[in-house]
Structures are given as structure tokens and as C-alpha cells.
Amino acid sequence: MIFSNIKNIDLTTIDERIKFCVDYFNEHDLINYNAGTYQTDRDDICFRIDEYETQIAQERYWQAHEKHIDVYILLKGQERIDVNIYEGVIYHRDKIDDMLMLEEMPYTNINFLSNFGDILVCNPNEAHKTGIHMDLKNKFKIALFKIRI
């Protein structure tokens, strides 16, 4: 897991695919993209723009992936993302979208995305629960890069 802001992240120490996502973010005005799925000029990296309201943690679900790294970059609003090493029981597996929905588990890291450009990278062994509000419900917008491994 990597948690930082794109202004502070050391690009010399991260995987070149994550660096590509940061560069793509810096070179495109993603805040003005509509919600939807987009392909980059790399076959192994696409991204989604999501915009929705946060919920309380009990209304969200744990997820993990087997064949993707998730790179979340906040565009506006605030979002809390809980992270834990995946050891939970799978209650739904979607092989097409590479989505494992997991039973409830305790979090080991809480990540507050509250500033433009806050970035969280979740590797396949890192379960995460997204879209949780920090203090009050709010609408947020995020760029979610999916790196196929």
C-alpha cells in the first residue's frame, strides 16, 4: 500500500506503472471528465471516474482483486478508505471484473483522502473498503486507475 499526495510522492521509488498513472493524472484535466470508464494508451492500464456520496462504513463492503492494482486519486470532496491484508472469506467472486467481495473484517489502516491529488495504491493482497464518509456524508469524485498484472 502507498498513501501520499501526488505532490509529495517520490516517483523514483515507485513502480513504473504507478508512475504512469501519476503522470497521466498530471497531464490530463480529470476533474472535468464525466463519470465512466476510459482507456489509456497502455493496454494494461485503464481508469474510471467515479462520483457518488459517501456512506457509513457498515453500508460499504470489503473488496480485493487478484489481477489488478488499484490506484485511487482524489479529485474533489473527501473519502475514507479502510485497508487490511486480505485474509477474509470470499462471499462473491466476479472473474470478469476481477472483484472479490469479502466478509467483514477489521481495518488495519484508515486512509483519509481529503485533498486534491491524495493517492492510495492497493495491491492485490490488500482488501479495501471505499466510499466511507469521514465526518459527514459528502459527494466526492475520484479517478480509479486499474493496473492489470
Side-chain angles (χ1 to χ4, degrees), residues 34-48:
N34 292 324
T37 302
Y38 300 86
Q39 183 61 49
T40 68
D41 58 353
R42 288 184 56 144
D43 291 337
D44 60 339
I45 302 175
C46 65
F47 68 96
R48 258 190 359 238

Side-chain angles (χ1 to χ4, degrees), residues 1-3 17-18 21 44-48 50 61 63-73 81 83 97-100 119-130 142-149:
M1 179 186 80
I2 298 170
F3 180 64
R17 297 167 299 177
I18 297 168
C21 297
D44 60 339
I45 302 175
C46 65
F47 68 96
R48 258 190 359 238
D50 288 333
Y61 59 89
Q63 61 178 293
H65 311 287
E66 295 174 310
K67 300 176 184 174
H68 286 90
I69 297 169
D70 280 348
V71 179
Y72 294 89
I73 305 177
I81 300 177
V83 179
D97 290 329
D98 186 34
M99 171 75 78
L100 304 174
I119 181 171
L120 174 67
V121 179
C122 292
N123 294 298
N125 66 331
E126 294 166 334
H128 42 287
K129 185 190 280 196
T130 64
I142 199 152
L144 168 55
F145 288 86
K146 303 289 256 176
I147 302 172
R148 186 171 13 102
I149 55 174

Side-chain angles (χ1 to χ4, degrees), residues 80-119:
R80 182 179 118 195
I81 300 177
D82 296 348
V83 179
N84 195 346
I85 299 301
Y86 161 65
E87 295 177 357
V89 175
I90 299 169
Y91 69 84
H92 177 74
R93 174 182 262 126
D94 181 340
K95 290 184 179 183
I96 295 172
D97 290 329
D98 186 34
M99 171 75 78
L100 304 174
M101 295 178 78
L102 310 170
E103 286 188 356
E104 190 63 26
M105 67 178 76
Y107 54 80
T108 54
N109 291 297
I110 298 177
N111 303 279
F112 296 111
L113 283 68
S114 57
N115 296 301
F116 177 80
D118 282 351
I119 181 171

